[in-house]
Amino acid sequence: MNIQGSISALCLSVAATTLVVTAEPADAYPIDCAILLCLAGGFPASAECAAAKVEMIRRITPFPIEPPLQLWNCPMGGGSGGAAIAGLASFGPDGLTPEVRQYRYGIELYHIKYYSRTRNQDGSYNVQDIAESGAYDSEGDFYWSRASFGHGPAWLAGAVGGRREPVEKCVSTSSDGTCRRYETVGYTNVYGSTGIGGFTGAPTSWTPNRLRGVAIRYLDYQGNERAEFVSY
């Protein structure tokens, strides 16, 4: 894997703490260490990184949905004492470097439990949107929060094959109440086509657009966003 800059420091951190904390043979190296290193490099082509990505995707494939990166299974718990022995003064009291925390905090999950968007004949839409987002807290624990696909981040729309549509607000009206000017005040995530009943084409089709699945966003060592989506 040819990765430079911060990822080089990350590799050194993992390798050094592995030597300090554990005496396990190389073939017993935890998969989560491989997920961390390969994720930072954008999962470059290699047998090791292919296996690491398969495991990460397996974890977010329902059900159950597991934390994609489980650093508690990667031997980096040497703490400040172990870091001093290894010559790595940048380790914090939790035994992690700022680089490692950066990759952990860069992971975000969206579990879209159910999303449906159906256009009515009058041009309005019926939307059902049930979702939750998953992330890591400052202690490294993974947690879920109530969320929404429609109000989710831009990367989520791209991950599921959706799009972003502007949300407009009337900022000027005429004397008869007709809006004269609209302004874009935000954007919303949308999935599916725009025709009646969820399809472009025959207005007699009332089958709505539906979406269910889990999306994951992570950052590589250059700060680039990468995303995957698992539908079910």
Side-chain angles (χ1 to χ4, degrees):
M1 192 189 310
N2 184 17
I3 304 174
Q4 302 175 350
S6 60
I7 189 61
S8 298
L10 174 62
C11 293
L12 176 60
S13 301
V14 175
T17 47
T18 300
L19 291 175
V20 171
V21 178
T22 181
E24 294 180 357
D27 57 4
Y29 202 78
I31 188 65
D32 282 277
C33 295
I35 292 175
L36 173 62
L37 293 171
C38 295
L39 176 150
F43 289 98
S46 71
E48 294 79 7
C49 287
K53 188 172 185 179
V54 166
E55 174 59 19
M56 185 182 77
I57 297 301
R58 183 201 65 78
R59 291 176 178 179
I60 68 169
T61 301
F63 286 98
I65 301 173
E66 305 174 38
L69 178 62
Q70 302 173 12
L71 286 178
W72 50 88
N73 292 324
C74 182
M76 298 185 65
S80 57
I85 296 173
L88 299 169
S90 62
F91 271 73
D94 58 358
L96 302 178
T97 65
E99 291 84 6
V100 172
R101 295 190 199 94
Q102 169 188 330
Y103 298 120
R104 184 179 67 191
Y105 294 147
I107 295 174
E108 186 175 20
L109 258 65
Y110 265 82
H111 179 198
I112 305 167
K113 295 182 176 180
Y114 187 82
Y115 174 84
S116 173
R117 181 175 184 264
T118 306
R119 184 181 178 184
N120 301 314
Q121 290 181 324
D122 62 0
S124 63
Y125 287 90
N126 291 327
V127 178
Q128 291 181 278
D129 190 346
I130 305 172
E132 59 184 356
S133 63
Y136 293 89
D137 63 19
S138 59
E139 300 299 319
D141 294 323
F142 190 80
Y143 66 96
W144 292 100
S145 302
R146 292 184 63 182
S148 162
F149 169 73
H151 295 99
W155 69 261
L156 183 59
V160 304
R163 62 188 183 279
R164 299 276 280 177
E165 289 189 352
V167 176
E168 297 184 330
K169 178 181 179 181
C170 181
V171 296
S172 177
T173 57
S174 59
S175 58
D176 63 358
T178 304
C179 185
R180 296 188 301 181
R181 185 165 62 90
Y182 289 90
E183 285 188 358
T184 299
V185 296
Y187 289 86
T188 183
N189 291 335
V190 173
Y191 177 81
S193 54
T194 58
I196 302 297
F199 285 96
T200 42
T204 56
S205 176
W206 294 98
T207 303
N209 292 296
R210 295 186 177 92
L211 179 67
R212 295 181 70 185
V214 180
I216 181 172
R217 188 282 312 269
Y218 58 93
L219 304 177
D220 65 19
Y221 76 103
Q222 293 180 321
N224 299 316
E225 283 190 338
R226 297 171 181 266
E228 305 284 346
F229 179 63
V230 179
S231 62
Y232 69 92

